[in-house]
Amino acid sequence: MGQAVLKNATAGAKVVALPALKAEVVALPAVMRRPLLGAFAPWLLSALVNLVPPLITVALVMLFWEIAASGPQSSLPPPTKIWTEAKDLIVDPFFWLGSQDIGLGWRILVSLQRVAIGFSLAAVVGILLGALVGQSVWAMRGLDPVFQVLRTVPPLAWLPLSLAGFRDSEPSAIFVIFITAIWPVIINTAVGIRNIPQDYRNVAQVLRLNQVEFFFKIMVPSAAPYIFTGLRIGVGLSWLAIVAAEMLTGGVGIGFFIWDAWNSSRLSDIIVALVYIGVVGFVLDRLVAFTGTIVTRGTLVN
Amino acid sequence: MSYLKIDHVDKTFQRGGASTNVLKDINLVIEKGEYVSVIGHSGCGKSTLLNIIAGLTPVSAGAVLLENREVSEPGPERAVVFQNHSLLPWLTVYDNVALAVNKVFGSTKSKVERHDWIMHNLDLVQMGHAKDKRPAEISGGMKQRVGIARGLAMEPKILLLDEPFGALDALTRAHLQDSIMQIHASLGNTMIMITHDVDEAVLLSDRIVMMTNGPSARIGEVLEVRLERPRKRLELVADRTYIAAREAVLKFLYERHRFVEAA
């Protein structure tokens, strides 16, 4: 009752306030134009709010770096020196001047291709194994301890073994990606599947869904948020691992480029390559996260 | 010849070393087309009984027979309307029903027939208009309507309703009760409903099965509700048979088998 009265009171107050408002808006013709700009203003504002602070940070870091590294004794090149030395790499990612003198974009693409193959394999195998571990108590008892031990093995520790096994650097690098990315996928998928609500299992039982139908119609959609968390961690780890693996296996990738640049003391090139790697890793992470939000829309809220 | 026979059913849950006897010697015969409610205080094992009929929970002793065949696993001929609707949130209303229809009638009905059947069942619960919405976008009452449509769409021999309206507000509940009565009148389904609402039980049921308190819950009494159908809730308020039935259930629940709070 009290609330209703209050509501009435405020409603009444609004009506009273209206004439006063009208009187204020004398500059109406000028305001008329606002909607057009107004449509862009929030977007513009949020872009500014999100872009300006990191830009300021980068500018400050560059400034500090320039000051710190510009002495004659400095062992690292300052930004200005990097710009003059590695301008071709920065400005044009996709130049092609012979098989070993190519833009960083090409090298990134080669590395990305390896990651794509290794990570896709890890995703498929990881989800299947995760489903097995999540679904069957015995599979969990048998496999989970093994997984827990293996997942702590650093990616590069697998490289000698895979080189010995495959006798070729290309599949070895892909295997390292695979073995790096698979553990978070397995573990998260298993958790997701263990967390499938009993209600959904009951529905599946009443409908007599078979294993395959259950996997595609209940398990995967229900565990999708967990699976995508695993995939996101996995893709990040793959990107970490590929650079290290390529340093050792050689070839065209961005990792080998860094190693090659180090051997010929091209520090500026290395720093440019690091920025490339960072940006691509960031994009990969966001890409998987974005796919996740698209695929799992509706799954999280009930 | 009985349609559904619950024959000396016992249920004991084992957890670690401890075992709890939930249901003891349950006997019940349900005829085709009957609407039976099971009522009792919370924790008396009425949901367990429903799960046993559904085949989701195995019996410890005894058997459930549907048309003289023993029930040993869940199946679409004993469709369940779950208490919390249990719609799959990543599927639209239409697809939730379609999942059931395609599974049950995938081989016997054509694609067009199946589509018509899905829409027919959605229209039956007045949800045809929301077929493209996801469960998160519709109200609790609407979700339960879709749950009922999914159950009905399996064309079950028995529709099992596990406290179907328990989570709904009183007005929505009344609407859905009316819908269920209409559906029962027009389709003649056999229905078993778990409830803890006395009015709901009396309004909807042909018979009310009253359970004693657990552990080792038994069927205390079975009350036949001799009210003409179709029943109108407003007319029943003053009806003597209705009042008597209501009183009988209330007396059973609150005088003879008062809920003893486990302190």
Side-chain angles (χ1 to χ4, degrees), chain B residues 63-104:
Chain B
V64 175
L65 300 162
L66 178 61
E67 290 185 319
N68 282 324
R69 286 236 205 91
E70 187 172 351
V71 165
S72 55
E73 55 167 1
E77 82 278 1
R78 281 161 284 117
V80 186
V81 176
F82 296 97
Q83 183 175 8
N84 53 353
H85 66 77
S86 290
L87 298 179
L88 303 177
W90 54 87
L91 295 180
T92 61
V93 163
Y94 180 91
D95 288 336
N96 263 290
V97 181
L99 180 70
V101 170
N102 291 338
K103 182 63 191 168
V104 178

mmCIF file of all heavy atoms in Angstrom, chain B residues 63-104:
data_model
loop_
_atom_site.group_PDB
_atom_site.id
_atom_site.type_symbol
_atom_site.label_atom_id
_atom_site.label_comp_id
_atom_site.label_asym_id
_atom_site.label_seq_id
_atom_site.Cartn_x
_atom_site.Cartn_y
_atom_site.Cartn_z
ATOM 1 N N ALA B 63 7.899 -55.706 -8.212
ATOM 2 C CA ALA B 63 7.967 -55.385 -9.634
ATOM 3 C C ALA B 63 6.887 -54.390 -10.022
ATOM 4 O O ALA B 63 5.885 -54.247 -9.332
ATOM 5 C CB ALA B 63 7.804 -56.656 -10.463
ATOM 6 N N VAL B 64 7.150 -53.682 -11.107
ATOM 7 C CA VAL B 64 6.129 -52.821 -11.716
ATOM 8 C C VAL B 64 5.779 -53.436 -13.054
ATOM 9 O O VAL B 64 6.659 -53.736 -13.855
ATOM 10 C CB VAL B 64 6.661 -51.382 -11.912
ATOM 11 C CG1 VAL B 64 5.637 -50.544 -12.655
ATOM 12 C CG2 VAL B 64 7.005 -50.751 -10.585
ATOM 13 N N LEU B 65 4.488 -53.683 -13.265
ATOM 14 C CA LEU B 65 4.054 -54.311 -14.512
ATOM 15 C C LEU B 65 3.162 -53.347 -15.274
ATOM 16 O O LEU B 65 2.183 -52.842 -14.742
ATOM 17 C CB LEU B 65 3.274 -55.599 -14.222
ATOM 18 C CG LEU B 65 4.035 -56.684 -13.462
ATOM 19 C CD1 LEU B 65 3.071 -57.670 -12.863
ATOM 20 C CD2 LEU B 65 5.014 -57.384 -14.384
ATOM 21 N N LEU B 66 3.508 -53.087 -16.522
ATOM 22 C CA LEU B 66 2.669 -52.282 -17.398
ATOM 23 C C LEU B 66 2.145 -53.207 -18.480
ATOM 24 O O LEU B 66 2.935 -53.781 -19.240
ATOM 25 C CB LEU B 66 3.477 -51.129 -17.987
ATOM 26 C CG LEU B 66 2.740 -50.221 -18.973
ATOM 27 C CD1 LEU B 66 1.552 -49.545 -18.334
ATOM 28 C CD2 LEU B 66 3.684 -49.172 -19.537
ATOM 29 N N GLU B 67 0.843 -53.371 -18.532
ATOM 30 C CA GLU B 67 0.218 -54.337 -19.448
ATOM 31 C C GLU B 67 0.919 -55.687 -19.347
ATOM 32 O O GLU B 67 1.271 -56.311 -20.346
ATOM 33 C CB GLU B 67 0.261 -53.814 -20.881
ATOM 34 C CG GLU B 67 -0.675 -52.640 -21.103
ATOM 35 C CD GLU B 67 -0.721 -52.191 -22.555
ATOM 36 O OE1 GLU B 67 0.362 -52.155 -23.178
ATOM 37 O OE2 GLU B 67 -1.810 -51.891 -23.044
ATOM 38 N N ASN B 68 1.110 -56.100 -18.114
ATOM 39 C CA ASN B 68 1.709 -57.407 -17.815
ATOM 40 C C ASN B 68 3.166 -57.561 -18.224
ATOM 41 O O ASN B 68 3.714 -58.661 -18.189
ATOM 42 C CB ASN B 68 0.899 -58.545 -18.448
ATOM 43 C CG ASN B 68 -0.330 -58.825 -17.620
ATOM 44 O OD1 ASN B 68 -0.278 -58.732 -16.386
ATOM 45 N ND2 ASN B 68 -1.438 -59.137 -18.280
ATOM 46 N N ARG B 69 3.794 -56.462 -18.623
ATOM 47 C CA ARG B 69 5.230 -56.539 -18.923
ATOM 48 C C ARG B 69 5.987 -55.824 -17.829
ATOM 49 O O ARG B 69 5.605 -54.724 -17.425
ATOM 50 C CB ARG B 69 5.530 -55.853 -20.257
ATOM 51 C CG ARG B 69 5.085 -56.639 -21.431
ATOM 52 C CD ARG B 69 6.287 -56.864 -22.353
ATOM 53 N NE ARG B 69 5.843 -57.089 -23.718
ATOM 54 C CZ ARG B 69 5.685 -56.122 -24.606
ATOM 55 N NH1 ARG B 69 5.975 -54.873 -24.275
ATOM 56 N NH2 ARG B 69 5.284 -56.383 -25.820
ATOM 57 N N GLU B 70 7.066 -56.445 -17.378
ATOM 58 C CA GLU B 70 7.800 -55.828 -16.287
ATOM 59 C C GLU B 70 8.570 -54.596 -16.773
ATOM 60 O O GLU B 70 9.178 -54.608 -17.833
ATOM 61 C CB GLU B 70 8.791 -56.832 -15.660
ATOM 62 C CG GLU B 70 9.423 -56.235 -14.416
ATOM 63 C CD GLU B 70 10.261 -57.231 -13.627
ATOM 64 O OE1 GLU B 70 10.219 -58.429 -13.949
ATOM 65 O OE2 GLU B 70 10.944 -56.784 -12.694
ATOM 66 N N VAL B 71 8.496 -53.559 -15.966
ATOM 67 C CA VAL B 71 9.224 -52.332 -16.268
ATOM 68 C C VAL B 71 10.627 -52.463 -15.709
ATOM 69 O O VAL B 71 10.808 -52.659 -14.522
ATOM 70 C CB VAL B 71 8.519 -51.128 -15.604
ATOM 71 C CG1 VAL B 71 9.428 -49.920 -15.595
ATOM 72 C CG2 VAL B 71 7.211 -50.845 -16.301
ATOM 73 N N SER B 72 11.634 -52.389 -16.560
ATOM 74 C CA SER B 72 12.992 -52.540 -16.051
ATOM 75 C C SER B 72 13.875 -51.360 -16.419
ATOM 76 O O SER B 72 14.932 -51.164 -15.841
ATOM 77 C CB SER B 72 13.621 -53.828 -16.595
ATOM 78 O OG SER B 72 13.547 -53.816 -17.995
ATOM 79 N N GLU B 73 13.450 -50.561 -17.377
ATOM 80 C CA GLU B 73 14.256 -49.410 -17.779
ATOM 81 C C GLU B 73 13.320 -48.294 -18.224
ATOM 82 O O GLU B 73 12.150 -48.534 -18.498
ATOM 83 C CB GLU B 73 15.209 -49.801 -18.914
ATOM 84 C CG GLU B 73 14.493 -50.416 -20.097
ATOM 85 C CD GLU B 73 15.370 -50.501 -21.327
ATOM 86 O OE1 GLU B 73 16.534 -50.100 -21.249
ATOM 87 O OE2 GLU B 73 14.872 -50.928 -22.365
ATOM 88 N N PRO B 74 13.857 -47.060 -18.286
ATOM 89 C CA PRO B 74 13.006 -45.949 -18.714
ATOM 90 C C PRO B 74 12.618 -46.107 -20.182
ATOM 91 O O PRO B 74 13.314 -46.783 -20.937
ATOM 92 C CB PRO B 74 13.893 -44.712 -18.546
ATOM 93 C CG PRO B 74 15.084 -45.157 -17.806
ATOM 94 C CD PRO B 74 15.234 -46.616 -17.986
ATOM 95 N N GLY B 75 11.540 -45.484 -20.555
ATOM 96 C CA GLY B 75 11.142 -45.547 -21.950
ATOM 97 C C GLY B 75 10.040 -44.554 -22.227
ATOM 98 O O GLY B 75 9.379 -44.085 -21.308
ATOM 99 N N PRO B 76 9.864 -44.209 -23.490
ATOM 100 C CA PRO B 76 8.886 -43.169 -23.847
ATOM 101 C C PRO B 76 7.436 -43.567 -23.613
ATOM 102 O O PRO B 76 6.572 -42.704 -23.619
ATOM 103 C CB PRO B 76 9.171 -42.923 -25.334
ATOM 104 C CG PRO B 76 9.936 -44.098 -25.800
ATOM 105 C CD PRO B 76 10.642 -44.676 -24.644
ATOM 106 N N GLU B 77 7.161 -44.877 -23.400
ATOM 107 C CA GLU B 77 5.757 -45.226 -23.128
ATOM 108 C C GLU B 77 5.376 -44.865 -21.694
ATOM 109 O O GLU B 77 4.222 -44.934 -21.310
ATOM 110 C CB GLU B 77 5.492 -46.711 -23.430
ATOM 111 C CG GLU B 77 5.885 -47.702 -22.363
ATOM 112 C CD GLU B 77 7.371 -48.041 -22.419
ATOM 113 O OE1 GLU B 77 8.073 -47.486 -23.283
ATOM 114 O OE2 GLU B 77 7.808 -48.846 -21.587
ATOM 115 N N ARG B 78 6.394 -44.471 -20.899
ATOM 116 C CA ARG B 78 6.116 -43.927 -19.565
ATOM 117 C C ARG B 78 6.790 -42.553 -19.482
ATOM 118 O O ARG B 78 7.800 -42.383 -18.808
ATOM 119 C CB ARG B 78 6.657 -44.863 -18.475
ATOM 120 C CG ARG B 78 5.782 -46.065 -18.208
ATOM 121 C CD ARG B 78 6.540 -47.150 -17.515
ATOM 122 N NE ARG B 78 7.415 -47.858 -18.462
ATOM 123 C CZ ARG B 78 8.732 -47.878 -18.387
ATOM 124 N NH1 ARG B 78 9.356 -47.265 -17.403
ATOM 125 N NH2 ARG B 78 9.445 -48.521 -19.285
ATOM 126 N N ALA B 79 6.230 -41.600 -20.206
ATOM 127 C CA ALA B 79 6.837 -40.268 -20.281
ATOM 128 C C ALA B 79 6.743 -39.567 -18.934
ATOM 129 O O ALA B 79 5.792 -39.767 -18.197
ATOM 130 C CB ALA B 79 6.138 -39.438 -21.346
ATOM 131 N N VAL B 80 7.761 -38.780 -18.636
ATOM 132 C CA VAL B 80 7.803 -38.067 -17.361
ATOM 133 C C VAL B 80 7.751 -36.562 -17.617
ATOM 134 O O VAL B 80 8.461 -36.054 -18.476
ATOM 135 C CB VAL B 80 9.093 -38.396 -16.581
ATOM 136 C CG1 VAL B 80 9.047 -37.759 -15.195
ATOM 137 C CG2 VAL B 80 9.273 -39.900 -16.463
ATOM 138 N N VAL B 81 6.893 -35.872 -16.874
ATOM 139 C CA VAL B 81 6.956 -34.413 -16.826
ATOM 140 C C VAL B 81 7.682 -34.077 -15.532
ATOM 141 O O VAL B 81 7.168 -34.325 -14.448
ATOM 142 C CB VAL B 81 5.558 -33.784 -16.857
ATOM 143 C CG1 VAL B 81 5.653 -32.274 -16.705
ATOM 144 C CG2 VAL B 81 4.843 -34.150 -18.143
ATOM 145 N N PHE B 82 8.887 -33.564 -15.673
ATOM 146 C CA PHE B 82 9.731 -33.374 -14.500
ATOM 147 C C PHE B 82 9.342 -32.127 -13.727
ATOM 148 O O PHE B 82 8.835 -31.155 -14.297
ATOM 149 C CB PHE B 82 11.197 -33.294 -14.910
ATOM 150 C CG PHE B 82 11.703 -34.561 -15.529
ATOM 151 C CD1 PHE B 82 11.743 -34.706 -16.905
ATOM 152 C CD2 PHE B 82 12.137 -35.617 -14.732
ATOM 153 C CE1 PHE B 82 12.208 -35.890 -17.476
ATOM 154 C CE2 PHE B 82 12.604 -36.792 -15.303
ATOM 155 C CZ PHE B 82 12.638 -36.923 -16.674
ATOM 156 N N GLN B 83 9.641 -32.167 -12.442
ATOM 157 C CA GLN B 83 9.284 -31.065 -11.548
ATOM 158 C C GLN B 83 9.854 -29.736 -12.037
ATOM 159 O O GLN B 83 9.180 -28.731 -12.060
ATOM 160 C CB GLN B 83 9.827 -31.388 -10.154
ATOM 161 C CG GLN B 83 9.469 -30.353 -9.123
ATOM 162 C CD GLN B 83 9.919 -30.777 -7.745
ATOM 163 O OE1 GLN B 83 10.621 -31.778 -7.591
ATOM 164 N NE2 GLN B 83 9.518 -30.038 -6.744
ATOM 165 N N ASN B 84 11.134 -29.768 -12.438
ATOM 166 C CA ASN B 84 11.752 -28.508 -12.885
ATOM 167 C C ASN B 84 11.842 -28.464 -14.403
ATOM 168 O O ASN B 84 12.844 -28.039 -14.960
ATOM 169 C CB ASN B 84 13.120 -28.347 -12.250
ATOM 170 C CG ASN B 84 13.969 -29.569 -12.482
ATOM 171 O OD1 ASN B 84 13.474 -30.562 -13.007
ATOM 172 N ND2 ASN B 84 15.227 -29.517 -12.136
ATOM 173 N N HIS B 85 10.819 -28.950 -15.043
ATOM 174 C CA HIS B 85 10.616 -28.922 -16.493
ATOM 175 C C HIS B 85 11.687 -29.643 -17.304
ATOM 176 O O HIS B 85 11.394 -30.263 -18.312
ATOM 177 C CB HIS B 85 10.375 -27.502 -17.007
ATOM 178 C CG HIS B 85 11.537 -26.567 -16.881
ATOM 179 N ND1 HIS B 85 12.598 -26.626 -17.730
ATOM 180 C CD2 HIS B 85 11.819 -25.583 -15.995
ATOM 181 C CE1 HIS B 85 13.479 -25.710 -17.386
ATOM 182 N NE2 HIS B 85 13.030 -25.065 -16.330
ATOM 183 N N SER B 86 12.972 -29.516 -16.893
ATOM 184 C CA SER B 86 14.050 -30.256 -17.573
ATOM 185 C C SER B 86 14.057 -30.071 -19.083
ATOM 186 O O SER B 86 14.337 -31.001 -19.823
ATOM 187 C CB SER B 86 13.957 -31.753 -17.284
ATOM 188 O OG SER B 86 14.278 -31.992 -15.959
ATOM 189 N N LEU B 87 13.754 -28.871 -19.530
ATOM 190 C CA LEU B 87 13.915 -28.598 -20.960
ATOM 191 C C LEU B 87 15.397 -28.364 -21.226
ATOM 192 O O LEU B 87 16.120 -27.872 -20.362
ATOM 193 C CB LEU B 87 13.112 -27.363 -21.360
ATOM 194 C CG LEU B 87 11.603 -27.459 -21.166
ATOM 195 C CD1 LEU B 87 10.941 -26.152 -21.573
ATOM 196 C CD2 LEU B 87 11.013 -28.609 -21.946
ATOM 197 N N LEU B 88 15.834 -28.717 -22.422
ATOM 198 C CA LEU B 88 17.237 -28.492 -22.758
ATOM 199 C C LEU B 88 17.392 -27.034 -23.182
ATOM 200 O O LEU B 88 16.768 -26.595 -24.149
ATOM 201 C CB LEU B 88 17.665 -29.438 -23.877
ATOM 202 C CG LEU B 88 17.440 -30.912 -23.522
ATOM 203 C CD1 LEU B 88 17.799 -31.814 -24.689
ATOM 204 C CD2 LEU B 88 18.235 -31.295 -22.287
ATOM 205 N N PRO B 89 18.192 -26.267 -22.429
ATOM 206 C CA PRO B 89 18.208 -24.810 -22.629
ATOM 207 C C PRO B 89 18.794 -24.378 -23.964
ATOM 208 O O PRO B 89 18.575 -23.249 -24.387
ATOM 209 C CB PRO B 89 19.067 -24.304 -21.467
ATOM 210 C CG PRO B 89 19.871 -25.469 -21.039
ATOM 211 C CD PRO B 89 19.050 -26.686 -21.324
ATOM 212 N N TRP B 90 19.547 -25.261 -24.618
ATOM 213 C CA TRP B 90 20.159 -24.843 -25.883
ATOM 214 C C TRP B 90 19.231 -25.125 -27.069
ATOM 215 O O TRP B 90 19.560 -24.790 -28.192
ATOM 216 C CB TRP B 90 21.511 -25.542 -26.088
ATOM 217 C CG TRP B 90 21.440 -27.021 -25.981
ATOM 218 C CD1 TRP B 90 21.160 -27.911 -26.968
ATOM 219 C CD2 TRP B 90 21.658 -27.798 -24.803
ATOM 220 N NE1 TRP B 90 21.173 -29.183 -26.474
ATOM 221 C CE2 TRP B 90 21.485 -29.147 -25.155
ATOM 222 C CE3 TRP B 90 21.979 -27.469 -23.482
ATOM 223 C CZ2 TRP B 90 21.619 -30.172 -24.221
ATOM 224 C CZ3 TRP B 90 22.103 -28.502 -22.572
ATOM 225 C CH2 TRP B 90 21.930 -29.831 -22.936
ATOM 226 N N LEU B 91 18.089 -25.741 -26.813
ATOM 227 C CA LEU B 91 17.141 -26.009 -27.894
ATOM 228 C C LEU B 91 15.935 -25.087 -27.760
ATOM 229 O O LEU B 91 15.558 -24.703 -26.653
ATOM 230 C CB LEU B 91 16.660 -27.464 -27.827
ATOM 231 C CG LEU B 91 17.704 -28.557 -28.060
ATOM 232 C CD1 LEU B 91 17.044 -29.922 -27.944
ATOM 233 C CD2 LEU B 91 18.352 -28.412 -29.417
ATOM 234 N N THR B 92 15.335 -24.747 -28.902
ATOM 235 C CA THR B 92 14.105 -23.964 -28.846
ATOM 236 C C THR B 92 12.978 -24.856 -28.328
ATOM 237 O O THR B 92 13.122 -26.073 -28.231
ATOM 238 C CB THR B 92 13.714 -23.450 -30.240
ATOM 239 O OG1 THR B 92 13.497 -24.584 -31.080
ATOM 240 C CG2 THR B 92 14.790 -22.573 -30.841
ATOM 241 N N VAL B 93 11.874 -24.198 -27.995
ATOM 242 C CA VAL B 93 10.682 -24.913 -27.555
ATOM 243 C C VAL B 93 10.332 -26.017 -28.560
ATOM 244 O O VAL B 93 10.119 -27.184 -28.201
ATOM 245 C CB VAL B 93 9.524 -23.907 -27.402
ATOM 246 C CG1 VAL B 93 8.182 -24.598 -27.364
ATOM 247 C CG2 VAL B 93 9.739 -23.057 -26.145
ATOM 248 N N TYR B 94 10.311 -25.635 -29.827
ATOM 249 C CA TYR B 94 9.971 -26.593 -30.882
ATOM 250 C C TYR B 94 10.954 -27.767 -30.884
ATOM 251 O O TYR B 94 10.558 -28.927 -30.909
ATOM 252 C CB TYR B 94 9.988 -25.877 -32.237
ATOM 253 C CG TYR B 94 9.643 -26.759 -33.415
ATOM 254 C CD1 TYR B 94 8.336 -26.890 -33.844
ATOM 255 C CD2 TYR B 94 10.641 -27.457 -34.092
ATOM 256 C CE1 TYR B 94 8.013 -27.694 -34.918
ATOM 257 C CE2 TYR B 94 10.324 -28.270 -35.171
ATOM 258 C CZ TYR B 94 9.001 -28.383 -35.587
ATOM 259 O OH TYR B 94 8.695 -29.196 -36.647
ATOM 260 N N ASP B 95 12.246 -27.442 -30.811
ATOM 261 C CA ASP B 95 13.268 -28.492 -30.896
ATOM 262 C C ASP B 95 13.247 -29.409 -29.678
ATOM 263 O O ASP B 95 13.602 -30.589 -29.771
ATOM 264 C CB ASP B 95 14.654 -27.869 -31.064
ATOM 265 C CG ASP B 95 14.837 -27.280 -32.456
ATOM 266 O OD1 ASP B 95 14.134 -27.736 -33.366
ATOM 267 O OD2 ASP B 95 15.665 -26.368 -32.611
ATOM 268 N N ASN B 96 12.866 -28.851 -28.527
ATOM 269 C CA ASN B 96 12.756 -29.699 -27.340
ATOM 270 C C ASN B 96 11.706 -30.781 -27.550
ATOM 271 O O ASN B 96 11.929 -31.942 -27.208
ATOM 272 C CB ASN B 96 12.399 -28.845 -26.117
ATOM 273 C CG ASN B 96 13.626 -28.473 -25.308
ATOM 274 O OD1 ASN B 96 14.235 -29.320 -24.667
ATOM 275 N ND2 ASN B 96 14.002 -27.205 -25.347
ATOM 276 N N VAL B 97 10.569 -30.389 -28.103
ATOM 277 C CA VAL B 97 9.528 -31.384 -28.377
ATOM 278 C C VAL B 97 9.960 -32.269 -29.545
ATOM 279 O O VAL B 97 9.737 -33.482 -29.539
ATOM 280 C CB VAL B 97 8.176 -30.695 -28.657
ATOM 281 C CG1 VAL B 97 7.082 -31.721 -28.906
ATOM 282 C CG2 VAL B 97 7.789 -29.809 -27.492
ATOM 283 N N ALA B 98 10.621 -31.643 -30.526
ATOM 284 C CA ALA B 98 11.045 -32.394 -31.705
ATOM 285 C C ALA B 98 12.032 -33.504 -31.335
ATOM 286 O O ALA B 98 11.992 -34.597 -31.923
ATOM 287 C CB ALA B 98 11.683 -31.463 -32.727
ATOM 288 N N LEU B 99 12.888 -33.235 -30.354
ATOM 289 C CA LEU B 99 13.847 -34.252 -29.920
ATOM 290 C C LEU B 99 13.108 -35.530 -29.534
ATOM 291 O O LEU B 99 13.486 -36.635 -29.932
ATOM 292 C CB LEU B 99 14.655 -33.719 -28.735
ATOM 293 C CG LEU B 99 15.707 -34.657 -28.148
ATOM 294 C CD1 LEU B 99 16.868 -34.814 -29.116
ATOM 295 C CD2 LEU B 99 16.225 -34.138 -26.813
ATOM 296 N N ALA B 100 12.017 -35.340 -28.758
ATOM 297 C CA ALA B 100 11.240 -36.502 -28.332
ATOM 298 C C ALA B 100 10.497 -37.133 -29.508
ATOM 299 O O ALA B 100 10.532 -38.347 -29.702
ATOM 300 C CB ALA B 100 10.251 -36.087 -27.246
ATOM 301 N N VAL B 101 9.847 -36.283 -30.314
ATOM 302 C CA VAL B 101 9.018 -36.812 -31.401
ATOM 303 C C VAL B 101 9.884 -37.546 -32.433
ATOM 304 O O VAL B 101 9.534 -38.635 -32.883
ATOM 305 C CB VAL B 101 8.222 -35.669 -32.067
ATOM 306 C CG1 VAL B 101 7.553 -36.136 -33.347
ATOM 307 C CG2 VAL B 101 7.188 -35.137 -31.089
ATOM 308 N N ASN B 102 11.026 -36.949 -32.782
ATOM 309 C CA ASN B 102 11.885 -37.591 -33.775
ATOM 310 C C ASN B 102 12.426 -38.915 -33.268
ATOM 311 O O ASN B 102 12.629 -39.853 -34.026
ATOM 312 C CB ASN B 102 13.038 -36.669 -34.161
ATOM 313 C CG ASN B 102 12.551 -35.468 -34.938
ATOM 314 O OD1 ASN B 102 11.471 -35.503 -35.529
ATOM 315 N ND2 ASN B 102 13.318 -34.394 -34.918
ATOM 316 N N LYS B 103 12.674 -38.990 -31.970
ATOM 317 C CA LYS B 103 13.207 -40.228 -31.414
ATOM 318 C C LYS B 103 12.119 -41.311 -31.389
ATOM 319 O O LYS B 103 12.358 -42.461 -31.740
ATOM 320 C CB LYS B 103 13.734 -39.952 -29.991
ATOM 321 C CG LYS B 103 14.358 -41.147 -29.314
ATOM 322 C CD LYS B 103 15.580 -41.655 -30.032
ATOM 323 C CE LYS B 103 16.004 -43.003 -29.465
ATOM 324 N NZ LYS B 103 17.000 -43.661 -30.302
ATOM 325 N N VAL B 104 10.919 -40.909 -30.966
ATOM 326 C CA VAL B 104 9.869 -41.916 -30.780
ATOM 327 C C VAL B 104 9.212 -42.281 -32.107
ATOM 328 O O VAL B 104 8.909 -43.450 -32.351
ATOM 329 C CB VAL B 104 8.815 -41.399 -29.768
ATOM 330 C CG1 VAL B 104 7.694 -42.406 -29.607
ATOM 331 C CG2 VAL B 104 9.471 -41.116 -28.431
#
